[in-house]
Amino acid sequence: MDKRMIYLDNNATTPTDPRVVDKMVPFFYENPGNAASRNHPYGWVAEEAVDYAREQIANLIHVDPKEIIFTSGATEADNLGIKGVFEMYSRKGNHIITCKTEHKAVLDACKKVEKMGGSVTYLDVKGDGLIDLDELRAAITDKTILVSIMYANNETGLIMPMKEIGQICEEKGVLFMSDATQAVGKIDVNPKELGIHIMAFTSHKMYGPKGVGALFVNRKNPRVKVTSQMDGGGHERGMRSGTLNVPGIVGFGHAAELAAKEMVQDAERLSRLRDKLESSLLANLEECEVNGNPDHRMPHVSNVSFKHVEGEGLMMTFNQNIALSSGSACTSASLEPSYVLVAMGVGDELAHSSLRFSLGRFTKEEDIDYAIEAVTKGVNHMRDLSPIWEMYKEGVDLSSVEWSEH
Amino acid sequence: MAYSEKLLDHFKNPRNVGTLDKGSKTVGTGLVGAPECGDVMRLQIEVDESTGKISDAKFKTFGCGSAIASSSLATEWLKGKSVDEALAIDNMEIVEELALPPVKIHCSVLAEDAIKSAIADYRKKNGAEVEAEATSEKA
């Protein structure tokens, strides 16, 4: 068997860059201190390292280091942002606006807010995956305290119209939060320029270690505060208690510095490879389509539906060699297709037939060549097995068939 | 989640893939599942009228690896069985043979449904004979 392993699931997590690991190691051995220990050199060294990382991360997104709150990851940062704003600004209102294609960390935090007495509007997306700005404008009421819209979607790579959303929030005087997990470190993200007041992101999507993330919280014009969701020693200006993950933060900082230096050239190279992958698959195989607006996408992501082939089965034709994600989660009796694609109106059948390719810094051209061949072969194999492909080829109108849904 | 060798073998080298003439009186066709649900199985049997045994079975499946392996295995088991023996195939036998993980048990249920649906189709086409058999059994 071919032992080659190709990783095209960088939106799930990126491998840690060896240069990052090298920077982290001393903070397990020579420098094991707690950054909150103020009375001895171990603590001072740790604190200095955390301050330096905070600067590296702030530089990447063009903000003040004091505006970075460290968390355990983007999920915690999303929770802190949404629940923290809801509690802090409850006297101003109780209404939050978000969107149906957000990550579960945002959607589930919003559901919790609803249980806590808040009201949440979940905006639809258009067929191209982006929100309708007029709908957003119309949804804002005098009770609205927060608009939370993701920067780039994890499944499709679609980039939301951040600048326009920022302007609407500014006009209406509501806070603007963004889950920028998939964007920071991959493309230039500048929250101050876009009018973003709160922004969640994480280290392990930019070649840093897992278990550390951050929330950017704007300090001036406006001064934003969030109610802490973790009580304890009052770390991180009282917004997030808990001993700082010093080695993780050091790694996060160095990953941010590397991203600032390399993301433009990485993005250029990866978008070329992504385009090659996409155009080759579309040329080799009939009846496939790219999901989402191709002009508003992250450079390294492609989401493709292969009609009449189920995504998970397709992945099994090569998943001992290629790691990627499917829009079909055939893991329960309910067989849920991707809610992101369904919200875009892709249709349940096509959502089940989709694959997400996400490239990264360590993806080589030969990996893409291999993937093109393997996916083409896999789709052909699965179509030979597919009764609905046969029916489609015979000209049967599939919508007229009476399926026995189960 | 690691799949069993048997499951992977049925997935990579599916047995009895194909199509029988659904218009034929000796062929029964079962089509179960729906594209929106992520799996569709079409299972067909051909019954040798002289012996009453299933002489051929074919399938095509749109679905995950477990669904494909379950239907491939089902066609293997069907060949040589009488229609009544085929009806007795239980989904849990498929679960055991392929070591399906709990989240994939529905794939075996679908295969059992496909078998039952193919047999029902065959019996419908041959309605008179079925009734005759049933009567003779009673007597």
Side-chain angles (χ1 to χ4, degrees):
Chain A
M1 196 183 76
D2 192 345
K3 286 284 178 208
R4 183 200 290 258
M5 191 67 218
I6 290 170
Y7 189 73
L8 296 178
D9 206 10
N10 285 276
N11 276 17
T13 189
T14 50
T16 313
D17 193 306
R19 294 171 291 180
V20 167
V21 178
D22 289 347
K23 294 280 180 190
M24 293 170 66
V25 171
F27 291 88
F28 291 102
Y29 298 110
E30 300 96 297
N31 308 314
N34 184 331
S37 297
R38 293 275 152 75
N39 304 315
H40 53 70
Y42 287 103
W44 303 333
V45 170
E47 191 186 17
E48 219 171 87
V50 167
D51 286 346
Y52 185 63
R54 210 186 289 278
E55 256 174 59
Q56 290 169 309
I57 294 159
N59 286 341
L60 175 65
I61 57 167
H62 320 284
V63 303
D64 190 289
K66 292 195 189 78
E67 296 176 308
I68 300 292
I69 309 295
F70 285 117
T71 66
S72 62
T75 291
E76 189 194 336
D78 282 328
N79 273 269
L80 175 57
I82 288 167
K83 296 175 192 167
V85 164
F86 179 71
E87 284 188 46
M88 182 60 71
Y89 295 89
S90 58
R91 272 186 301 176
K92 282 184 88 174
N94 69 342
H95 181 228
I96 291 175
I97 298 171
T98 185
C99 149
K100 286 182 179 165
T101 57
E102 291 287 315
H103 190 269
K104 287 285 180 193
V106 168
L107 292 176
D108 288 356
C110 284
K111 283 196 189 120
K112 183 56 79 64
V113 160
E114 288 180 289
K115 278 190 190 151
M116 288 155 66
S119 99
V120 180
T121 301
Y122 301 90
L123 295 175
D124 286 316
V125 293
K126 299 174 290 179
D128 64 0
L130 307 179
I131 61 163
D132 183 326
L133 295 168
D134 292 330
E135 261 178 48
L136 168 64
R137 198 186 292 274
I140 298 174
T141 70
D142 55 355
K143 291 276 181 218
T144 307
I145 47 175
L146 180 71
V147 170
S148 184
I149 301 292
M150 72 196 325
Y151 204 112
N153 185 273
N154 44 312
E155 288 192 33
T156 57
L158 290 172
I159 300 172
M160 288 290 189
M162 302 311 283
K163 197 170 183 104
E164 291 80 355
I165 300 169
Q167 278 164 356
I168 294 172
C169 291
E170 163 101 39
E171 260 170 54
K172 301 271 190 177
V174 298
L175 292 176
F176 178 24
M177 166 172 161
S178 184
D179 171 6
T181 305
Q182 297 289 350
V184 173
K186 307 272 179 57
I187 55 173
D188 187 42
V189 170
N190 189 331
K192 302 253 175 194
E193 218 166 58
L194 298 167
I196 298 171
H197 306 112
I198 303 166
M199 189 172 84
F201 55 106
T202 192
S203 151
H204 80 102
K205 308 277 195 207
M206 56 167 100
Y207 314 98
K210 294 164 189 57
V212 55
L215 190 68
F216 153 75
V217 182
N218 205 61
R219 281 190 85 204
K220 267 187 205 157
N221 304 320
R223 180 179 177 81
V224 179
K225 284 172 96 178
V226 293
T227 303
S228 91
Q229 302 297 307
M230 188 68 77
D231 301 315
H235 308 72
E236 299 298 277
R237 297 169 43 229
M239 287 191 255
R240 200 276 191 178
S241 289
T243 297
L244 291 175
N245 170 3
V246 178
I249 288 168
V250 167
F252 189 7
H254 196 60
E257 188 180 314
L258 292 175
K261 280 187 202 145
E262 297 174 10
M263 67 186 169
V264 173
Q265 69 194 58
D266 276 351
E268 242 173 49
R269 189 178 71 86
L270 295 178
S271 71
R272 195 178 54 76
L273 290 181
R274 189 267 314 268
D275 292 346
K276 179 180 183 181
L277 172 75
E278 234 168 42
S279 59
S280 304
L281 290 176
L282 294 182
N284 290 354
L285 294 160
E286 48 182 325
E287 296 297 315
C288 2
E289 52 192 69
V290 173
N291 293 311
N293 188 329
D295 301 326
H296 293 268
R297 274 196 303 173
M298 294 295 289
H300 62 287
V301 186
S302 175
N303 190 305
V304 185
S305 288
F306 304 91
K307 283 190 189 165
H308 313 313
V309 167
E310 195 270 341
E312 198 188 329
L314 172 56
M315 275 171 62
M316 212 164 137
T317 64
F318 47 72
N319 75 356
Q320 287 174 337
N321 298 95
I322 307 178
L324 38 71
S325 285
S326 157
S328 181
C330 176
T331 52
S332 68
S334 62
L335 301 171
E336 289 296 326
S338 149
Y339 68 91
V340 171
L341 296 178
V342 171
M344 288 164 61
V346 165
D348 286 11
E349 189 205 335
L350 266 190
H352 277 300
S353 302
S354 72
L355 293 186
R356 175 188 76 184
F357 303 87
S358 48
L359 286 55
R361 184 180 285 165
F362 304 108
T363 307
K364 300 190 208 71
E365 179 140 17
E366 63 202 67
D367 298 340
I368 295 302
D369 292 337
Y370 183 89
I372 292 167
E373 206 192 307
V375 174
T376 303
K377 243 170 86 181
V379 170
N380 284 328
H381 174 72
M382 295 300 281
R383 281 181 175 169
D384 286 343
L385 288 178
S386 168
I388 44 181
W389 177 251
E390 185 187 295
M391 291 158 95
Y392 163 76
K393 277 293 183 183
E394 284 171 354
V396 175
D397 176 10
L398 293 170
S399 60
S400 72
V401 177
E402 269 186 51
W403 304 104
S404 60
E405 294 191 33
H406 54 288
Chain B
M1 180 168 54
Y3 290 105
S4 70
E5 284 299 317
K6 272 187 190 158
L7 188 150
L8 289 173
D9 182 44
H10 273 283
F11 177 74
K12 284 184 190 150
N13 311 298
R15 331 288 201 258
N16 309 309
V17 176
T19 310
L20 298 172
D21 175 13
K22 66 172 182 244
S24 163
K25 194 169 167 265
T26 56
V27 170
T29 300
L31 181 68
V32 295
E36 308 82 77
C37 303
D39 39 28
V40 175
M41 263 181 209
R42 190 193 60 205
L43 195 143
Q44 295 181 298
I45 51 166
E46 178 152 34
V47 180
D48 182 334
E49 286 175 286
S50 59
T51 62
K53 289 198 192 287
I54 294 170
S55 56
D56 201 3
K58 297 268 186 221
F59 86 96
K60 278 200 176 185
T61 291
F62 161 87
C64 65
S66 302
I68 286 166
S70 296
S71 34
S72 167
L73 177 67
T75 57
E76 250 188 358
W77 281 356
L78 284 170
K79 283 194 197 180
K81 280 198 168 61
S82 73
V83 172
D84 283 333
E85 284 167 348
L87 270 181
I89 294 174
D90 185 79
N91 80 291
M92 286 315 287
E93 296 171 62
I94 297 173
V95 171
E96 276 166 34
E97 178 71 12
L98 298 176
L100 291 183
V103 293
K104 296 295 186 183
I105 288 177
H106 66 276
C107 297
S108 69
V109 174
L110 204 62
E112 189 190 312
D113 287 352
I115 294 172
K116 296 215 153 70
S117 165
I119 292 172
D121 181 54
Y122 170 76
R123 287 195 160 161
K124 206 173 131 195
K125 280 180 183 170
N126 298 276
E129 289 162 43
V130 174
E131 261 181 31
E133 266 173 40
T135 323
S136 65
E137 258 171 48
K138 267 181 210 160

